[in-house]
Amino acid sequence: MAVERTQKPLTPALTEWEYAPAPEARELVSLQERYGLFIGGELVEPRSREWFPTISPSTEELLAEVAQAGPEDVDSAVTAARTAYENGWSALAAPERAKYLFRIARIIQERSRELAVLESLNGGKPIRESRDVDVPLAAAHFFYYAGWADKLEYAFPNRRPKSLGVAGQIIPWNFPLLMLAWKIAPALAAGNTVVLKPAETTPLTALLFADVCRQADLPPGVVNIVTGDGRTGAALVQHEDVEKIAFTGSTEVGKAIQRELAGTGKKLTLELGGKAANIVFDDAALDGAIEGIVNGIYFNQGHVCCAGSRLLVQESIYEATVAKLKRRLETLRLGDPLDKNTDVGAINSKLQLDKITELVESGKDEGAEIYQPPCRLPEKGYWFAPTVFTNVAQSYRIAQEEIFGPVLSVMTFRTPEEAVEKANNTPYGLSAGVWTEKGSRILWMAERLKAGVVWANTFNRFDPASPFGGYKESGFGREGGRHGLEPYLSFEGSESWGG
Ligand code: NDP
């Protein structure tokens, strides 16, 4: 018997995919008009009597005024840290120290939405990233190091680990809360007290963290936060009563700090820039690799020290890779960092935008071919479209210098040996990525790449248990894992590296 089918009218295919706005609630954050310095457990007025504005880079709107700590303020903070160290913290039973760290970790989790919104507001990064990466990883670092606090003897058997005293810590603006966690968690777990200087453009989550410390009943002076510009950082480095300096930032400032500390006996770790190679072989799963390339360079607007800013593609798949990459770039959504659909947020500051623009211009002048997907940049704030350069020579500035923005330089190679040679042709050595289905090739490459971290078939993945740090001009010392405790400890009868 014949079945009669009724023809349903076909729904016309969508030609445009407009996303409705999905803003995160900004009301989760309540801002003060002015923030003092967090010294001895309280927010205090700066003795310098100087303040500076902190803004939202996506709108240029003033968020608050923040204290500019002068040398006297840095001295007060170091004194508070020393007092806290001598009068209790260093003698506290290790399981008690761990309790504070666990408490901080839990409070970060409880206040995660507030912290994420503030991070995106002050730094310009998409809320999806601050919510799913920065804040959970910051909590994970405190949980991880809380676990080590009472097990130092097991971490370093027969070496009798001892805390150092006061650690001075200087952090950049690309991952403000996460870098704070990378610095403070191991330092406290090892039994030290700290004075931390956040970056000038992103002080607000560090000041909210001060409130987390108060909520956790952390003894006053164990954590001190001095806001300010490079002068504040320099005063902290120069302070005589600091046993250790931990710095993350530019290679230039890192070198200046190393010169300053030479011969003082202070311990130093430097986590500096990078120009990582992301290497794609012709046997790689290409769609997965494209996602890794995008995550490698456009995550956090490319403000990532280990960003995969040099793409090395095997010649036989060059055309297909570039075509797929360009198509994928067209789907990235640039705009309001607080919108949950945003992939690419604002550039952190006018200064950084100028630096990116200057380097991109140099790429065009030197003869590279630029591609930017069609996208509308907001009128207010600091923005830069995701950018790909092809036809790039090894000698071009865009292939040599750290751009620290959403700019990728694509180059080719024919053999694994050539890939290694090109990848290592940089003064930096922080990270690298390898995309191939052959496990043996991954191991072969990882052995030869001069990079602290080598990701295989992934990129920009972080874990508190995994040590992170560089070779050559990317710095020395490791953060994360058991290795991350070592720079905050002294050992009986032996000098540790990074010292
Ligand atoms: P900086 O190295 O200047 O900043 C890092 C931190 O050091 C900030 O807190 C900064 O304060 C502080 N600082 C600045 N000068 C001194 C000093 N003389 N002594 C002690 N501390 C100091 O980096 P920028 O923010 O200027 O960025 C410049 C470039 O550095 C970027 O374009 C990028 O290429 C690279 N960079 C690399 C990072 C990484 O993670 N590897 C992170 C940030 C930047 P303030 O904020 O006031 O300047």
Side-chain angles (χ1 to χ4, degrees):
M1 194 173 78
V3 180
E4 209 174 296
R5 290 175 194 270
T6 49
Q7 192 84 36
K8 271 198 184 160
L10 290 173
T11 316
L14 275 178
T15 52
E16 249 189 45
W17 293 86
E18 277 295 329
Y19 280 68
E24 176 57 282
R26 194 189 146 147
E27 303 72 54
L28 288 165
V29 167
S30 61
L31 287 169
Q32 298 174 25
E33 267 178 36
R34 264 191 170 183
Y35 289 86
L37 304 164
F38 186 61
I39 297 178
E42 281 176 47
L43 284 179
V44 299
E45 296 255 324
R47 294 210 220 161
S48 69
R49 296 178 189 278
E50 277 184 55
W51 306 83
F52 65 94
T54 187
I55 64 163
S56 158
S58 61
T59 58
E60 297 174 58
E61 157 206 359
L62 173 73
L63 296 176
E65 283 207 318
V66 176
Q68 162 72 39
E72 281 188 328
D73 298 301
V74 170
D75 186 51
S76 303
V78 173
T79 305
R82 172 67 53 198
T83 309
Y85 180 76
E86 304 288 351
N87 296 348
W89 187 252
S90 59
L92 198 66
E96 291 301 311
R97 242 178 18 236
K99 273 191 208 166
Y100 286 110
L101 290 170
F102 277 122
R103 228 184 257 172
I104 290 171
R106 280 198 305 272
I107 297 170
I108 291 176
Q109 285 185 323
E110 281 162 20
R111 299 180 72 173
S112 62
R113 285 184 72 196
E114 186 185 357
L115 283 160
V117 170
L118 190 56
E119 197 72 310
S120 287
L121 207 53
N122 200 196
K125 64 173 67 197
I127 186 75
R128 217 161 40 85
E129 291 176 7
S130 36
R131 181 195 65 193
D132 298 347
V133 182
D134 297 60
V135 178
L137 272 177
H141 265 81
F142 278 99
F143 276 122
Y144 176 78
Y145 281 110
W148 275 125
D150 59 353
K151 300 174 196 71
L152 298 177
E153 297 282 347
Y154 300 96
F156 305 101
N158 304 320
R159 294 180 66 192
R160 296 178 185 258
K162 265 190 77 217
S163 58
L164 300 172
V166 178
Q169 308 180 315
I170 300 165
I171 57 170
W173 41 262
N174 52 344
F175 293 92
L177 184 73
L178 184 57
M179 288 303 104
L180 172 151
W182 279 30
K183 297 277 181 282
I184 293 183
L188 298 195
N192 305 282
T193 57
V194 305
V195 177
L196 176 125
K197 189 200 97 63
E200 184 183 350
T201 56
T202 52
L204 293 182
T205 43
L207 292 165
L208 186 52
F209 180 79
D211 198 47
V212 169
C213 292
R214 280 197 296 207
Q215 204 180 334
D217 274 333
L218 190 70
V222 171
V223 168
N224 304 275
I225 293 168
V226 286
T227 48
D229 59 20
R231 292 170 295 166
T232 310
L236 185 54
V237 170
Q238 285 155 10
H239 200 289
E240 285 189 348
D241 204 22
V242 168
E243 272 88 7
K244 186 216 151 49
I245 293 291
F247 173 81
T248 299
S250 62
T251 299
E252 191 194 346
V253 174
K255 283 181 180 174
I257 292 177
Q258 194 174 13
R259 279 195 295 272
E260 179 78 39
L261 294 189
T264 62
K266 284 183 199 171
K267 279 166 96 73
L268 173 65
T269 41
L270 296 175
E271 200 265 271
L272 310 175
K275 192 74 188 172
N278 206 358
I279 305 163
V280 184
F281 284 94
D282 59 6
D283 63 347
L286 199 51
D287 287 329
I290 295 291
E291 290 311 304
I293 295 164
V294 168
N295 180 44
I297 185 64
Y298 303 112
F299 170 62
N300 200 27
Q301 297 72 247
H303 301 330
V304 184
C305 46
C306 51
S309 51
R310 288 183 300 149
L311 176 62
L312 297 180
V313 188
Q314 199 154 19
E315 211 170 75
S316 49
I317 55 159
Y318 173 75
E319 306 283 342
T321 307
V322 171
K324 269 181 190 273
L325 183 61
K326 287 182 177 174
R327 219 168 35 243
R328 177 67 176 88
L329 247 60
E330 285 171 17
T331 66
L332 290 180
R333 285 178 299 272
L334 176 147
D336 181 6
L338 286 185
D339 192 309
K340 287 172 234 164
N341 289 324
T342 294
D343 299 306
V344 181
I347 299 302
N348 184 266
S349 66
K350 171 81 170 53
L351 207 68
Q352 190 58 26
L353 180 59
D354 291 345
K355 180 183 168 185
I356 297 168
T357 310
E358 197 251 319
L359 274 161
V360 165
E361 286 306 314
S362 83
K364 288 197 251 175
D365 292 345
E366 286 188 292
E369 203 172 295
I370 187 169
Y371 172 78
Q372 292 175 322
C375 69
R376 213 177 314 124
L377 303 184
E379 276 168 21
K380 277 278 204 187
Y382 314 126
W383 304 92
F384 203 89
T387 302
V388 176
F389 273 114
T390 48
N391 200 18
V392 179
Q394 291 269 327
S395 58
Y396 290 178
R397 286 181 67 199
I398 52 168
Q400 288 292 326
E401 295 179 31
E402 185 178 46
I403 302 175
F404 226 61
V407 182
L408 179 67
S409 299
V410 188
M411 287 164 277
T412 58
F413 67 91
R414 289 181 185 167
T415 62
E417 289 79 5
E418 189 187 341
V420 169
E421 200 166 313
K422 286 186 166 167
N424 289 343
N425 178 20
T426 165
Y428 297 111
L430 194 54
S431 66
V434 179
W435 297 82
T436 172
E437 66 162 23
K438 294 190 181 66
S440 58
R441 179 175 281 165
I442 291 169
L443 297 175
W444 190 90
M445 293 290 291
E447 263 188 348
R448 287 160 180 79
L449 291 168
K450 290 269 176 296
V453 178
V454 179
W455 283 292
N457 294 323
T458 187
F459 209 92
N460 271 343
R461 295 276 163 221
F462 305 96
D463 189 288
S466 173
F468 183 90
Y471 281 90
K472 304 192 282 186
E473 293 207 0
S474 291
F476 50 78
R478 293 292 178 266
E479 294 183 295
R482 195 173 55 87
H483 303 68
L485 287 164
E486 199 161 344
Y488 290 100
L489 292 164
S490 64
F491 300 95
E492 219 165 72
S494 70
E495 238 339 281
S496 70
W497 58 279

